[in-house]
PDB file of all heavy atoms in Angstrom:
ATOM      1  N   CYS A  67       7.849  -7.487 -18.271  1.00 95.00           N
ATOM      2  CA  CYS A  67       6.453  -7.826 -18.581  1.00 95.00           C
ATOM      3  C   CYS A  67       5.940  -7.022 -19.778  1.00 95.00           C
ATOM      4  O   CYS A  67       6.105  -5.806 -19.838  1.00 95.00           O
ATOM      5  CB  CYS A  67       5.569  -7.569 -17.364  1.00 95.00           C
ATOM      6  SG  CYS A  67       3.868  -8.100 -17.646  1.00 95.00           S
ATOM      7  N   GLU A  69       2.907  -6.269 -20.586  1.00 96.00           N
ATOM      8  CA  GLU A  69       1.689  -5.467 -20.345  1.00 96.00           C
ATOM      9  C   GLU A  69       2.082  -4.024 -19.993  1.00 96.00           C
ATOM     10  O   GLU A  69       3.220  -3.766 -19.596  1.00 96.00           O
ATOM     11  CB  GLU A  69       0.886  -6.076 -19.189  1.00 96.00           C
ATOM     12  CG  GLU A  69       0.523  -7.521 -19.374  1.00 96.00           C
ATOM     13  CD  GLU A  69      -0.669  -7.731 -20.295  1.00 96.00           C
ATOM     14  OE1 GLU A  69      -1.601  -6.931 -20.257  1.00 96.00           O
ATOM     15  OE2 GLU A  69      -0.649  -8.709 -21.051  1.00 96.00           O
ATOM     16  N   CYS A  71       0.518  -1.857 -17.645  1.00 97.00           N
ATOM     17  CA  CYS A  71      -0.147  -1.341 -16.440  1.00 97.00           C
ATOM     18  C   CYS A  71       0.612  -0.109 -15.923  1.00 97.00           C
ATOM     19  O   CYS A  71       1.801  -0.193 -15.590  1.00 97.00           O
ATOM     20  CB  CYS A  71      -0.189  -2.422 -15.365  1.00 97.00           C
ATOM     21  SG  CYS A  71      -0.755  -4.020 -15.988  1.00 97.00           S
ATOM     22  N   TYR A  73       0.874   1.575 -13.292  1.00 96.00           N
ATOM     23  CA  TYR A  73       1.422   1.633 -11.931  1.00 96.00           C
ATOM     24  C   TYR A  73       2.654   0.766 -11.751  1.00 96.00           C
ATOM     25  O   TYR A  73       3.329   0.826 -10.729  1.00 96.00           O
ATOM     26  CB  TYR A  73       0.336   1.170 -10.922  1.00 96.00           C
ATOM     27  CG  TYR A  73      -0.340  -0.123 -11.347  1.00 96.00           C
ATOM     28  CD1 TYR A  73       0.283  -1.354 -11.199  1.00 96.00           C
ATOM     29  CD2 TYR A  73      -1.602  -0.109 -11.961  1.00 96.00           C
ATOM     30  CE1 TYR A  73      -0.310  -2.527 -11.627  1.00 96.00           C
ATOM     31  CE2 TYR A  73      -2.209  -1.290 -12.386  1.00 96.00           C
ATOM     32  CZ  TYR A  73      -1.555  -2.490 -12.206  1.00 96.00           C
ATOM     33  OH  TYR A  73      -2.137  -3.649 -12.646  1.00 96.00           O
ATOM     34  N   CYS A  74       2.947  -0.087 -12.733  1.00 96.00           N
ATOM     35  CA  CYS A  74       3.832  -1.219 -12.445  1.00 96.00           C
ATOM     36  C   CYS A  74       5.269  -1.039 -12.941  1.00 96.00           C
ATOM     37  O   CYS A  74       5.507  -0.830 -14.137  1.00 96.00           O
ATOM     38  CB  CYS A  74       3.253  -2.497 -13.040  1.00 96.00           C
ATOM     39  SG  CYS A  74       4.212  -3.954 -12.571  1.00 96.00           S
ATOM     40  N   GLN A  76       7.369  -3.259 -13.364  1.00 95.00           N
ATOM     41  CA  GLN A  76       7.862  -4.446 -14.077  1.00 95.00           C
ATOM     42  C   GLN A  76       7.496  -4.438 -15.562  1.00 95.00           C
ATOM     43  O   GLN A  76       7.869  -5.342 -16.312  1.00 95.00           O
ATOM     44  CB  GLN A  76       7.288  -5.707 -13.433  1.00 95.00           C
ATOM     45  CG  GLN A  76       7.591  -5.783 -11.940  1.00 95.00           C
ATOM     46  CD  GLN A  76       7.485  -7.191 -11.430  1.00 95.00           C
ATOM     47  OE1 GLN A  76       8.278  -8.055 -11.806  1.00 95.00           O
ATOM     48  NE2 GLN A  76       6.511  -7.447 -10.584  1.00 95.00           N
ATOM     49  N   SER A  77       6.771  -3.402 -15.975  1.00 95.00           N
ATOM     50  CA  SER A  77       6.373  -3.316 -17.375  1.00 95.00           C
ATOM     51  C   SER A  77       7.531  -2.821 -18.234  1.00 95.00           C
ATOM     52  O   SER A  77       8.198  -1.852 -17.872  1.00 95.00           O
ATOM     53  CB  SER A  77       5.185  -2.351 -17.486  1.00 95.00           C
ATOM     54  OG  SER A  77       5.029  -1.953 -18.825  1.00 95.00           O
ATOM     55  N   ALA A 115       5.819 -11.792 -13.381  1.00 97.00           N
ATOM     56  CA  ALA A 115       5.533 -10.656 -14.265  1.00 97.00           C
ATOM     57  C   ALA A 115       5.316 -11.169 -15.692  1.00 97.00           C
ATOM     58  O   ALA A 115       6.154 -10.986 -16.579  1.00 97.00           O
ATOM     59  CB  ALA A 115       6.688  -9.655 -14.222  1.00 97.00           C
ATOM     60  N   TRP A 116       4.203 -11.830 -15.864  1.00 97.00           N
ATOM     61  CA  TRP A 116       3.813 -12.368 -17.170  1.00 97.00           C
ATOM     62  C   TRP A 116       2.465 -11.815 -17.580  1.00 97.00           C
ATOM     63  O   TRP A 116       1.632 -11.506 -16.728  1.00 97.00           O
ATOM     64  CB  TRP A 116       3.639 -13.902 -17.082  1.00 97.00           C
ATOM     65  CG  TRP A 116       4.894 -14.683 -17.009  1.00 97.00           C
ATOM     66  CD1 TRP A 116       6.093 -14.393 -17.594  1.00 97.00           C
ATOM     67  CD2 TRP A 116       5.066 -15.930 -16.316  1.00 97.00           C
ATOM     68  NE1 TRP A 116       7.009 -15.387 -17.302  1.00 97.00           N
ATOM     69  CE2 TRP A 116       6.398 -16.337 -16.528  1.00 97.00           C
ATOM     70  CE3 TRP A 116       4.217 -16.741 -15.553  1.00 97.00           C
ATOM     71  CZ2 TRP A 116       6.917 -17.520 -16.000  1.00 97.00           C
ATOM     72  CZ3 TRP A 116       4.726 -17.914 -15.025  1.00 97.00           C
ATOM     73  CH2 TRP A 116       6.056 -18.305 -15.247  1.00 97.00           C
ATOM     74  N   ARG A 182      -4.690  -5.228 -22.037  1.00 96.00           N
ATOM     75  CA  ARG A 182      -5.713  -6.272 -21.847  1.00 96.00           C
ATOM     76  C   ARG A 182      -6.941  -5.628 -21.220  1.00 96.00           C
ATOM     77  O   ARG A 182      -6.840  -4.600 -20.561  1.00 96.00           O
ATOM     78  CB  ARG A 182      -5.201  -7.451 -21.015  1.00 96.00           C
ATOM     79  CG  ARG A 182      -4.901  -7.091 -19.604  1.00 96.00           C
ATOM     80  CD  ARG A 182      -4.450  -8.300 -18.812  1.00 96.00           C
ATOM     81  NE  ARG A 182      -3.823  -7.796 -17.592  1.00 96.00           N
ATOM     82  CZ  ARG A 182      -3.119  -8.534 -16.765  1.00 96.00           C
ATOM     83  NH1 ARG A 182      -2.918  -9.797 -17.017  1.00 96.00           N
ATOM     84  NH2 ARG A 182      -2.607  -8.015 -15.675  1.00 96.00           N
TER      85      ARG A 182
HETATM   86 FE1  SF4 B   3       2.856  -7.091 -15.883  1.00 84.32          FE
HETATM   87 FE2  SF4 B   3       1.389  -7.674 -13.734  1.00 84.32          FE
HETATM   88 FE3  SF4 B   3       2.995  -5.495 -13.779  1.00 84.32          FE
HETATM   89 FE4  SF4 B   3       0.813  -5.500 -15.268  1.00 84.32          FE
HETATM   90  S1  SF4 B   3       0.906  -5.616 -13.037  1.00 84.32           S
HETATM   91  S2  SF4 B   3       2.866  -4.855 -15.931  1.00 84.32           S
HETATM   92  S3  SF4 B   3       0.701  -7.639 -15.877  1.00 84.32           S
HETATM   93  S4  SF4 B   3       3.641  -7.619 -13.851  1.00 84.32           S
END
Side-chain angles (χ1 to χ4, degrees):
C67 185
E69 304 281 323
C71 313
Y73 48 77
C74 186
Q76 305 201 66
S77 163
W116 285 327
R182 66 178 164 192

